[in-house]
């Protein structure tokens, strides 16, 4: 695997592959890689001849009181994992390369509707930062396909909507969440959890699963979400939100909807956990 940090080097390599008629897939990350990230690389390899990954801790998507300074950076270990996974190129830009004018003077991308509410409400400006950096990385890499994990379900919808609205010739592939045996969704932020917190953190996933089962026979969406919130809080977590939504628009679910998604977030110690589950009703 080749590692580059300069835009010129990145573009030269991708241009060479395209000139050879090779298809290029892209997996953007913020590093501190785990099995979930590696599953994205494996999926990307099914759809393309070459796989480009990136590691960039994007300052635009962090709020004033969030953890960018303490966000784990494990470049050497990440490079080893990507090499073992068979990635072809790793792009590791600095903030000065991505935002040469600084954040205050940087043009940005705003994706309405799907960016609002849920994590968009809890983390103001987060999805503006996500959409902007992904749009910029897409312009730099020029991939044919790009893979994103469904653990960040709202993020996937934001990126899919951006690609559609801006007519980008990129296929977005959503990849299933990788979980611990306990059901806890893999996340770089799980590293913040203590041994005791790791025992209670799976309550988020467990109660989403319970909620999904209830939805097959009960359409009291608000009442069920309140019950799930109580269960999660009683387990020792602090619920940020739990909502039942239309799977594509992310608007509150109605009784006529058949494809739903449960979106949830909760705090467990220093970690903010997010999770989701798609639900298909047979009615």
């Amino acid at each position: 695997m080749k590692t580059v940090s300069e835009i010129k080097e990145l573009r030269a390599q991708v241009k060479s592959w395209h000139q050879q008629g090779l298809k290029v897939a892209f997996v953007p990350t913020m590093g501190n890689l785990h099995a979930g990230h590696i599953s994205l690389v494996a999926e990307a390899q099914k759809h393309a001849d070459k796989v480009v990954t990136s590691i960039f801790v994007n300052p635009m998507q962090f709020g004033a009181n969030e953890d960018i300074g303490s966000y784990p950076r494990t470049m050497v270990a990440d490079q080893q994992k990507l090499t073992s996974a068979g990635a072809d190129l790793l792009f590791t830009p600095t903030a000065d390369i991505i935002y040469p004018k600084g954040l205050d003077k940087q043009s940005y991308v705003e994706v309405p509707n799907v960016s609002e509410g849920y994590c968009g409400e809890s983390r103001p400006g987060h999805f503006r930062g996500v959409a902007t950096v992904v749009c910029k990385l897409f312009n730099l890499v020029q991939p044919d396909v790009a893979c994103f994990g469904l653990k960040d379900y709202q993020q996937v919808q934001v990126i899919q909507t951006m690609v559609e609205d801006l007519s980008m010739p990129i296929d977005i592939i959503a990849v299933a969440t990788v979980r611990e045996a306990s059901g806890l969704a893999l996340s770089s932020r799980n590293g913040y959890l203590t041994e005791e917190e790791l025992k209670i953190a799976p309550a988020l996933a467990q109660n989403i699963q319970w909620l999904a089962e209830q939805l097959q026979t009960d359409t009291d969406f608000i009442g069920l979400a309140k019950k799930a919130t109580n269960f999660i809080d009683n387990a020792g977590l602090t619920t940020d939100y739990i909502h039942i939504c239309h799977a594509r628009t992310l608007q509150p679910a109605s009784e006529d909807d058949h494809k739903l998604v449960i979106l949830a977030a909760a705090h467990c110690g220093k970690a903010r956990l997010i999770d989701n589950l798609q639900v298909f009703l047979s009615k």
Side-chain angles (χ1 to χ4, degrees):
M1 183 185 70
K2 184 177 181 180
T3 300
V4 301
S5 59
E6 299 294 331
I7 291 173
K8 184 177 180 181
E9 295 176 284
L10 169 70
R11 283 180 160 160
Q13 181 61 79
V14 174
K15 181 179 180 181
S16 173
W17 287 335
H18 279 148
Q19 287 175 336
Q20 297 173 55
L22 301 177
K23 197 171 183 179
V24 175
F26 180 43
V27 178
T29 82
M30 293 207 302
N32 193 31
L33 304 183
H34 51 67
H37 296 107
I38 302 307
S39 75
L40 301 180
V41 175
E43 185 65 28
Q45 291 168 330
K46 299 176 184 178
H47 300 272
D49 305 294
K50 299 291 183 180
V51 177
V52 178
T53 59
S54 65
I55 293 177
F56 177 61
V57 182
N58 176 32
M60 188 181 281
Q61 69 190 67
F62 284 80
N65 299 315
E66 293 186 331
D67 58 354
I68 187 169
S70 60
Y71 195 86
R73 291 162 171 83
T74 54
M75 183 62 74
V76 173
D78 292 346
Q79 287 175 304
Q80 293 172 345
K81 290 176 182 178
L82 291 170
T83 298
S84 297
D88 299 284
L89 182 66
L90 171 61
F91 180 46
T92 59
T94 63
D96 289 340
I97 289 173
I98 297 296
Y99 304 118
K101 298 178 183 178
L103 295 182
D104 292 342
K105 297 181 180 179
Q106 169 68 40
S107 300
Y108 59 83
V109 178
E110 197 91 62
V111 182
N113 300 320
V114 292
S115 289
E116 299 158 10
Y118 322 123
C119 282
E121 181 176 347
S122 297
R123 305 180 67 189
H126 171 68
F127 285 120
R128 173 196 286 188
V130 169
T132 299
V133 78
V134 171
C135 181
K136 187 152 191 173
L137 288 169
F138 281 173
N139 285 332
L140 293 173
V141 177
Q142 297 286 301
D144 300 288
V145 301
C147 295
F148 292 86
L150 277 169
K151 181 182 76 69
D152 297 284
Y153 189 93
Q154 188 175 10
Q155 174 177 277
V156 172
Q157 301 308 314
V158 168
I159 292 165
Q160 182 67 64
T161 301
M162 177 186 73
V163 166
E164 292 171 357
D165 289 353
L166 300 183
S167 303
M168 296 179 177
I170 303 169
D171 291 330
I172 302 301
I173 299 169
V175 183
T177 302
V178 178
R179 299 180 181 274
E180 302 279 6
S182 65
L184 178 65
L186 293 189
S187 170
S188 297
R189 288 187 170 87
N190 289 355
Y192 298 150
L193 297 170
T194 66
E195 188 173 335
E196 288 302 311
E197 288 164 352
L198 281 169
K199 295 178 182 177
I200 63 173
L204 182 63
Q206 291 163 2
N207 280 287
I208 290 175
Q209 182 62 51
W210 172 85
L211 187 51
E213 293 167 0
Q214 301 306 304
L215 286 171
Q216 295 298 333
T217 56
D218 188 347
T219 57
D220 179 11
F221 301 134
I222 294 176
L224 287 173
K226 286 181 178 179
K227 287 182 181 179
T229 296
N230 290 333
F231 293 150
I232 292 167
D233 291 345
N234 289 336
L237 285 69
T238 302
T239 303
D240 183 349
Y241 64 78
I242 184 162
H243 293 288
I244 303 163
C245 313
H246 186 284
R248 184 65 182 92
T249 67
L250 304 190
Q251 293 299 304
S254 72
E255 292 189 9
D256 295 328
D257 294 332
H258 294 269
K259 295 182 179 180
L260 310 177
V261 63
I262 303 165
L263 300 177
H267 294 275
C268 186
K270 295 181 179 179
R272 181 177 181 273
L273 310 175
I274 63 171
D275 207 341
N276 64 82
L277 187 62
Q278 294 182 72
V279 182
F280 301 95
L281 302 184
S282 56
K283 59 183 181 180

